[in-house]
Amino acid sequence: MKKDLIVQSNALVEACYKLTLQEARIILFLASRIEPDDSDFKDYEIPVKELAEIAQIDSSSLYSTMIGVTDTLLKKVFKVKKENGQTEQFAWLCAAIHNPRSGSITLRFDKELKPYLLKLKKNFTSFSLSVAIKFKNIFSFRIYELLKQYESIGKREISIDDLRWMLDLDENTYPLYGNFKQRVIKPIQKELKEKSDIYFDFDEIKRGRSIYAIRFIIHKQAFPSNQKSNDIKSKPEDEVDVFINELVELLPEKYQKLASYRKLITKYFEQKGKNYVIRNILYSNDKSNDINYRAYLSKSLENDYGLAYQEDQELKKEEADRQKQTAIREAKQKELEYVQIQKEKENRTKAREIISKLSEEEQSLLKLESLNQLADIYKERYNRNHNDTIANMQIRIGMESIIMKRHPEDFK
């Protein structure tokens, strides 16, 4: 490598973003091309073969594969939290120009990145491209940067919430700390120990019963003896990053241990990301049969058939959620009505008890008051026949209502 040092502002180190392995290697390689005195970004023209070697892309159709990689990279952004509470979003690249005649690609950083990569005099972090380029775990880049920032101090404490934000992990990805620790922290710890110039131990900081933060204890080390500092190729057993096992587990059980499926999933995970692979596996699981599963999965991953499928599933889920919420509201309304009916029954029973304790004269006056408040239709029925059942029932209900109004404190 002609130039090995990468210098980034601390704000960029602590930003929220998640790139694929290939995308991260390309961004790191471009950052290493920046000179200390550069006042503006240059157009970086790089041979396709060299960029493919850096990104560790092995493809028979190398040029079209690189177009796909840069296409997705142009859409990727990172988020920075400002001191005033604002969150700003920026693109990594503003242009990718493919030059088939010269067999090269010209890449250009977005101008908004200038404060984060150019003429940095303070609040910056530097590290070696030849170290970072070797990582096979998508999160090892990020933790490596964050720990290099505090290397001279020897320790760094990061809350779990902040760490999840920096790694761009949504609330549904490893929501339990134990899972987060085993799937993210532990594999990174192992990879840094094997491939990096630093490694870490960590303490778990509790708030109540929950793990609130992680204190990383940072150790320096020489390059591991089984690694060369300029070695871009890594061991075959390291080729699968932390998410691959989870993706493989989505396959039908009979295919989960087949290397060809693992290789296929790894390829598209590194090119397109986790969600892309998940939706196409789920699509293939649902639409294919046992005979044509491999072909179905391969075509789906190539053409993203799972996108429309995912949208259909999301619409179905939204409709199911709406129906569920409607059912919940209706059940709550029925429960409320039932409670109100039961309360009304209790209050009228209590009112009748009060009436029964009144003198005959008081009951007569109460009956007359209720009669005067009756609707005309019930008055007429009562006047025609004092024994009319319906009229007398309305008079009794009226008497109970009058009692409840006179003594509201007894009928809450």
Side-chain angles (χ1 to χ4, degrees):
M1 266 167 224
K2 296 179 180 178
K3 190 171 181 294
D4 192 50
L5 187 67
I6 299 170
V7 181
Q8 299 179 166
S9 73
N10 289 341
L12 181 54
V13 171
E14 296 176 353
C16 168
Y17 66 87
K18 185 166 59 183
L19 302 172
T20 67
L21 288 167
Q22 294 172 341
E23 293 165 350
R25 290 170 185 142
I26 290 172
I27 292 298
L28 291 172
F29 178 68
L30 290 182
S32 74
R33 303 286 290 266
I34 297 172
E35 298 293 339
D37 296 329
D38 284 349
S39 59
D40 203 350
F41 290 128
K42 301 173 182 177
D43 287 350
Y44 302 101
E45 185 175 355
I46 308 162
V48 172
K49 289 185 177 180
E50 180 180 358
L51 197 59
E53 183 182 11
I54 291 295
Q56 300 187 28
I57 296 173
D58 184 13
S59 173
S60 57
S61 54
L62 191 58
Y63 199 81
S64 61
T65 300
M66 287 303 304
I67 290 177
V69 172
T70 55
D71 180 60
T72 57
L73 185 51
L74 282 163
K75 301 171 185 175
K76 294 293 181 73
V77 300
F78 66 92
K79 293 178 282 189
V80 177
K81 285 183 179 178
K82 310 297 286 186
E83 291 183 359
N84 61 5
Q86 291 180 335
T87 298
E88 297 180 342
Q89 289 181 296
F90 303 107
W92 290 99
L93 300 178
C94 65
I97 304 167
H98 297 265
N99 315 302
R101 291 186 178 179
S102 61
S104 65
I105 299 176
T106 300
L107 299 174
R108 187 182 308 143
F109 276 124
D110 191 284
K111 64 180 180 179
E112 297 294 340
L113 269 70
K114 288 183 182 181
Y116 302 102
L117 292 171
L118 295 180
K119 299 182 78 67
L120 301 175
K121 303 299 182 183
K122 59 181 181 178
N123 298 326
F124 64 86
T125 299
S126 60
F127 54 89
S128 170
L129 173 64
S130 59
V131 174
I133 205 77
K134 293 183 297 184
F135 296 135
K136 288 290 185 177
N137 182 326
I138 193 64
F139 295 130
S140 291
F141 292 110
R142 301 293 288 118
I143 298 298
Y144 178 71
E145 292 173 330
L146 291 166
L147 298 189
K148 286 294 284 187
Q149 187 181 358
Y150 278 62
E151 180 181 9
S152 60
I153 298 174
K155 61 183 178 180
R156 178 168 197 177
E157 183 177 315
I158 308 177
S159 73
I160 301 299
D161 287 345
D162 285 345
L163 188 57
R164 290 178 65 86
W165 185 82
M166 293 174 191
L167 299 180
D168 197 19
L169 288 172
D170 61 41
E171 60 184 10
N172 296 318
T173 305
Y174 311 131
L176 300 178
Y177 171 74
N179 205 356
F180 176 75
K181 174 182 175 180
Q182 292 301 320
R183 293 286 192 171
V184 179
I185 301 301
K186 285 287 190 179
I188 294 172
Q189 185 182 36
K190 179 176 183 290
E191 184 163 45
L192 263 63
K193 179 69 174 178
E194 292 176 350
K195 301 178 182 178
S196 171
D197 55 338
I198 60 172
Y199 67 98
F200 67 88
D201 296 313
F202 64 96
D203 297 326
E204 297 169 337
I205 302 172
K206 287 188 174 182
R207 177 179 287 176
R209 292 186 175 184
S210 301
I211 305 298
Y212 162 73
I214 295 176
R215 181 183 295 112
F216 294 92
I217 313 302
I218 306 165
H219 307 285
K220 298 180 183 180
Q221 67 175 358
F223 284 107
S225 58
N226 63 341
Q227 296 282 337
K228 295 181 180 179
S229 62
N230 62 350
D231 182 22
I232 294 175
K233 300 294 182 181
S234 301
K235 297 179 184 179
E237 60 265 27
D238 290 332
E239 289 179 358
V240 179
D241 80 13
V242 70
F243 284 141
I244 297 302
N245 286 337
E246 292 179 61
L247 295 173
V248 168
E249 289 172 2
L250 295 176
L251 297 171
E253 188 174 356
K254 64 185 295 184
Y255 303 122
Q256 291 179 8
K257 294 183 179 180
L258 298 181
S260 60
Y261 283 88
R262 196 176 190 87
K263 184 177 180 180
L264 181 65
I265 287 173
T266 302
K267 170 186 173 182
Y268 283 96
F269 172 76
E270 293 188 348
Q271 288 182 10
K272 303 293 188 179
K274 179 182 177 183
N275 290 335
Y276 181 96
V277 176
I278 288 175
R279 66 180 179 237
N280 285 289
I281 291 176
L282 296 178
Y283 170 81
S284 300
N285 290 350
D286 189 30
K287 300 296 183 181
S288 67
N289 57 46
D290 193 47
I291 297 174
N292 65 358
Y293 184 80
R294 172 56 193 259
Y296 224 102
L297 177 62
S298 181
K299 283 290 185 182
S300 179
L301 287 167
E302 181 181 354
N303 299 296
D304 198 15
Y305 294 150
L307 178 58
Y309 174 81
Q310 181 185 46
E311 292 172 349
D312 289 342
Q313 295 301 309
E314 288 173 352
L315 288 173
K316 290 179 182 178
K317 184 177 182 301
E318 289 175 3
E319 178 59 27
D321 287 342
R322 280 195 294 270
Q323 292 179 1
K324 182 179 178 181
Q325 292 302 317
T326 299
I328 291 173
R329 286 195 298 270
E330 290 176 350
K332 286 183 177 179
Q333 181 62 32
K334 288 181 179 179
E335 182 180 358
L336 179 61
E337 291 173 355
Y338 175 78
V339 170
Q340 290 174 338
I341 290 171
Q342 292 302 114
K343 185 63 176 176
E344 179 75 8
K345 287 181 178 179
E346 291 176 6
N347 286 341
R348 290 199 173 275
T349 298
K350 188 183 294 185
R352 287 196 293 273
E353 290 176 357
I354 293 174
I355 292 171
S356 68
K357 295 177 183 179
L358 297 176
S359 66
E360 290 184 4
E361 183 179 358
E362 289 173 326
Q363 289 185 24
S364 296
L365 290 173
L366 183 62
K367 182 177 180 180
L368 180 60
E369 184 178 352
S370 175
L371 178 60
N372 290 333
Q373 293 178 3
L374 283 183
D376 290 342
I377 186 173
Y378 297 118
K379 286 181 182 178
E380 292 174 0
R381 292 181 68 129
Y382 182 77
N383 289 333
R384 285 198 303 268
N385 179 8
H386 283 9
N387 294 320
D388 186 280
T389 303
I390 294 176
N392 278 288
M393 181 180 69
Q394 293 299 319
I395 292 172
R396 178 175 57 79
I397 292 174
M399 293 170 66
E400 293 166 0
S401 299
I402 293 169
I403 290 296
M404 287 189 286
K405 288 179 182 179
R406 286 179 181 175
H407 308 279
E409 67 280 0
D410 294 329
F411 299 94
K412 295 181 180 178

